[in-house]
Amino acid sequence: MPTIVVDVMPKAELLDPQGKATSGALDRLGHGKFHDVRIGKRFELSVDGPVTDEVLAEARQVADEILSNSVIEDVVAITVDGEAE
Amino acid sequence: MPTIVVDVMPKAELLDPQGKATSGALDRLGHGKFHDVRIGKRFELSVDGPVTDEVLAEARQVADEILSNSVIEDVVAITVDGEAE
């Protein structure tokens, strides 16, 4: 069953306190080479049948209107993962 | 500056109440073709300098030990995104 993966991240101009806290923790734990951590969401949607252009267009609409809040978040990627989960 | 993307999902055998609620909402809103929604996290870590095998190994360690809770989550992907953010 194909899976559509929608990646949503907080907008670049917004503070991401969760990410900031994680950056601080990594630094304290000796992993300072990683910085500017940002934390977003990854949605996996199972789809019945093949992922046509139409289904993908509907997925994009769902991603923009339902899965993300366009005031504070960007949909950064919509990909199709063909393998059964 | 390269970015390492770490994708973390709730384990398949666990209930994902947030995902279940989203599935229900999609169904009610006429997007019933998408089901079994699962919601995980996407971490973006900025790295100074090139992403060597060593850096990637450290990223995997960070992903397993710090960014995810191995009792309830799986690290499903670690990818490198070369473009500047």
Side-chain angles (χ1 to χ4, degrees), chain A residues 29-50:
Chain A
L29 293 167
H31 299 290
K33 67 162 63 68
F34 305 114
H35 52 89
D36 289 338
V37 178
R38 296 188 73 80
I39 305 181
K41 281 180 249 178
R42 175 189 159 102
F43 297 84
E44 291 183 355
L45 316 174
S46 299
V47 191
D48 289 325

Side-chain angles (χ1 to χ4, degrees), chain B:
Chain B
M1 197 186 301
T3 302
I4 295 179
V5 178
V6 176
D7 289 314
V8 174
M9 295 300 292
K11 278 184 192 291
E13 59 269 30
L14 288 188
L15 218 61
D16 174 9
Q18 218 185 157
K20 274 248 171 330
T22 307
S23 297
L26 288 178
D27 205 30
R28 283 194 304 280
L29 293 167
H31 299 290
K33 67 162 63 67
F34 304 115
H35 53 87
D36 289 339
V37 178
R38 296 187 73 80
I39 305 181
K41 282 180 249 178
R42 176 188 158 102
F43 297 84
E44 292 183 354
L45 316 174
S46 298
V47 191
D48 289 325
V51 179
T52 58
D53 284 353
E54 214 169 83
V55 171
L56 215 52
E58 183 173 341
R60 172 155 287 282
Q61 189 203 340
V62 163
D64 287 340
E65 295 176 6
I66 302 173
L67 301 181
S68 69
N69 175 352
S70 63
V71 177
I72 57 169
E73 294 170 326
D74 286 321
V75 177
V76 295
I78 297 182
T79 48
V80 180
D81 187 353
E83 65 186 3
E85 290 254 301

